[in-house]
């Protein structure tokens, strides 16, 4: 009898411990982002730990290959998406993202944001930025390109790995950089540059991996990329080429989905992305520049990086209007014999 009673009490305790009310005490915030953000060496683990200390919630990251792939996934999932927040789109994609009707303004104070060009957007919040650059191996290349023209018309034996503009935000950045400088002559520039391209990868990680393995002496990346090698590997072997025309900028943003399950929690996270904790994590994990003045002072290595003389940035509206046509030009040029 006492044994039966004990079992009954245990069974009731088990039911109580797994009741819906108890299970729902800890909220979950789902953030779609790109894979390198949530890698062990990326900002994701530190961001998760810091935010969960403040929110009494679980921060659930879902990774996709790149920012372009992120927008594609959201389009496919539509209003049924599990995402509460999208983190990892950039200014080249925000108009297209707005046009989906999936996002809404969160009303976050952005007065601390200090990105080049003063980019402001009602729905999407900048959290970091970086100028694109050609990164080269100084042990292999002694005379790196000094301009986009040098890159396009340089020695075909010196190869570069780039990213696909259909799937990658850096790939799209290079496409827009070439368009910004060459205008209507962009297809001819791509036809010339094609002879120097070793491979076109779906995303940044694949291209940079080939570069660090020594399989290609140049890669399309960011002005900030050498800081990683200086700080983490204590080497200045890998450097960014300074282009005299200037450099195209990427400003990465986050935004709240209309279908977010807990909008107050989503707003809390968006505000957190501009906080000292988040912003100070970015430089030495995402290897980008912090977007807000709340960040801690940068490591000394950042003072040695290339300082672009001019910043290129097309309006989100122009990119949304022309992106598919310009990708079509790129595909035609790259497929030419």
């Amino acid at each position: 009898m006492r044994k039966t009673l004990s079992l009954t009490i245990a069974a009731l305790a088990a039911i109580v411990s797994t009741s819906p009310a108890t299970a729902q005490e800890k909220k979950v915030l789902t953030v779609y982002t790109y894979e390198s953000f949530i890698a062990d060496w990326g900002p994701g683990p530190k961001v998760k730990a810091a935010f969960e200390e403040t929110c009494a919630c679980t921060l659930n990251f879902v990774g996709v290959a790149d920012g372009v792939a992120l927008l594609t996934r959201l389009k496919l999932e539509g209003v049924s998406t599990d995402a509460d927040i999208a983190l990892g789109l950039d200014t080249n994609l925000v108009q297209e993202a707005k046009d989906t009707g999936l996002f809404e303004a969160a009303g976050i104070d952005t007065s601390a944001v200090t990105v080049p060009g003063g980019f402001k957007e009602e729905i999407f919040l900048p959290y970091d930025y970086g100028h694109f650059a050609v990164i080269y191996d100084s042990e292999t290349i002694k005379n790196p390109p000094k301009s986009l023209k040098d890159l396009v018309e340089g020695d075909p034996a010196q190869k570069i790995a780039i990213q696909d503009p259909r799937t990658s935000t850096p790939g799209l950045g290079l496409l827009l950089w070439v368009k910004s400088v060459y205008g209507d002559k962009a297809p001819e520039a791509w036809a010339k540059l094609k002879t120097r391209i070793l491979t076109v990868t779906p995303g940044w990680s694949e291209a940079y991996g080939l570069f660090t393995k020594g399989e290609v002496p140049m890669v399309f990346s960011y002005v900030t990329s050498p800081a990683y090698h200086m700080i983490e590997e204590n080497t200045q072997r890998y450097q960014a080429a300074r282009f005299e025309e200037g450099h195209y900028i990427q400003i990465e943003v986050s935004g709240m989905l209309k279908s977010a399950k807990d909008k107050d929690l989503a707003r809390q996270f968006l505000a957190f992305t501009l906080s000292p904790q988040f912003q100070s994590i970015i430089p030495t994990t995402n290897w980008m520049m912090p977007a807000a003045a709340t960040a801690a002072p940068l490591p000394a290595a950042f003072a040695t990086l290339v300082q672009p003389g001019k910043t290129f940035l097309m309006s989100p509206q122009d990119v949304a209007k022309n992106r598919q046509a310009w990708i079509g030009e790129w595909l035609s040029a790259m497929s030419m014999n």
Side-chain angles (χ1 to χ4, degrees):
M1 183 69 179
R2 294 178 66 180
K3 182 177 181 182
T4 304
L5 180 59
S6 299
L7 288 172
T8 302
I9 292 172
L12 286 171
I15 291 170
V16 170
S17 69
T18 58
S19 66
T22 304
Q24 290 175 13
E25 279 180 7
K26 200 161 192 181
K27 299 173 181 177
V28 176
L29 184 73
T30 299
V31 177
Y32 282 15
T33 187
Y34 45 85
E35 289 173 350
S36 62
F37 191 93
I38 60 176
D40 290 343
W41 44 264
K46 290 184 178 180
V47 168
K48 176 179 170 66
F51 185 64
E52 288 182 348
E53 285 183 2
T54 70
C55 71
C57 72
T58 297
L59 183 56
N60 175 38
F61 282 120
V62 176
V64 295
D66 206 292
V68 177
L70 171 56
L71 180 56
T72 300
R73 176 163 176 172
L74 290 171
K75 284 181 174 180
L76 289 171
E77 293 180 350
V79 295
S80 64
T81 182
D82 290 330
D84 301 304
I85 297 287
L87 184 149
L89 303 176
D90 67 10
T91 53
N92 297 322
L93 298 172
V94 296
Q95 186 59 49
E96 193 171 337
K98 286 172 71 173
D99 289 344
T100 66
L102 295 173
F103 292 88
E104 69 174 69
I108 306 300
D109 178 11
T110 59
S111 58
V113 173
T114 57
V115 294
F119 172 80
K120 295 288 183 182
E121 224 292 321
E122 180 183 4
I123 292 179
F124 295 98
L125 282 68
Y127 65 88
D128 70 15
Y129 72 89
H131 288 84
F132 291 117
V134 170
I135 306 299
Y136 66 96
D137 182 346
S138 65
E139 293 185 2
T140 304
I141 294 183
K142 302 303 180 184
N143 295 299
K146 296 178 174 60
S147 66
L148 198 57
K149 185 174 185 292
D150 276 356
L151 178 68
V152 168
E153 300 180 4
D155 182 359
Q158 294 181 335
K159 299 296 184 182
I160 185 171
I162 68 169
Q163 302 83 18
D164 192 322
R166 295 169 295 178
T167 54
S168 164
T169 49
L172 180 58
L174 179 57
L175 181 82
L176 300 178
W177 191 355
V178 171
K179 197 69 181 179
S180 297
V181 173
Y182 281 91
D184 293 342
K185 300 294 184 182
E188 290 91 329
W190 280 113
K192 292 180 181 178
L193 182 58
K194 179 185 173 184
T195 63
R196 300 195 76 173
I197 297 172
L198 176 68
T199 188
V200 179
T201 62
W204 174 87
S205 298
E206 299 95 330
Y208 210 81
L210 291 172
F211 173 69
T212 55
K213 289 175 183 175
E215 296 183 29
V216 62
M218 295 187 293
V219 65
F220 190 69
S221 189
Y222 298 88
V223 161
T224 48
S225 296
Y228 165 81
H229 301 286
M230 294 178 201
I231 293 170
E232 296 295 325
E233 300 174 345
N234 196 30
T235 180
Q236 298 194 23
R237 175 178 175 177
Y238 306 110
Q239 295 293 323
R242 187 181 188 277
F243 281 9
E244 51 197 32
E245 308 103 330
H247 293 246
Y248 201 94
I249 193 172
Q250 179 180 50
I251 302 170
E252 295 192 297
V253 300
S254 57
M256 180 176 73
L257 278 295
K258 284 182 180 178
S259 57
K261 295 173 285 298
D262 186 329
K263 291 184 180 179
D264 287 340
L265 184 59
R267 291 185 184 98
Q268 185 181 345
F269 179 79
L270 289 175
F272 176 75
T273 66
L274 301 181
S275 71
Q277 299 99 310
F278 184 101
Q279 288 291 299
S280 299
I281 289 169
I282 289 295
T284 55
T285 55
N286 218 33
W287 302 100
M288 296 281 275
M289 300 296 289
T294 58
L298 292 169
F302 280 77
T304 69
L305 302 177
V306 163
Q307 301 296 316
K310 178 181 178 179
T311 293
F312 290 104
L313 180 64
M314 290 190 182
S315 76
Q317 295 76 23
D318 284 345
V319 177
K321 180 181 177 181
N322 296 291
R323 183 164 77 100
Q324 294 305 323
W326 292 341
I327 287 175
E329 288 181 353
W330 176 82
L331 285 170
S332 296
M334 294 295 286
S335 63
M336 292 171 58
N337 295 325

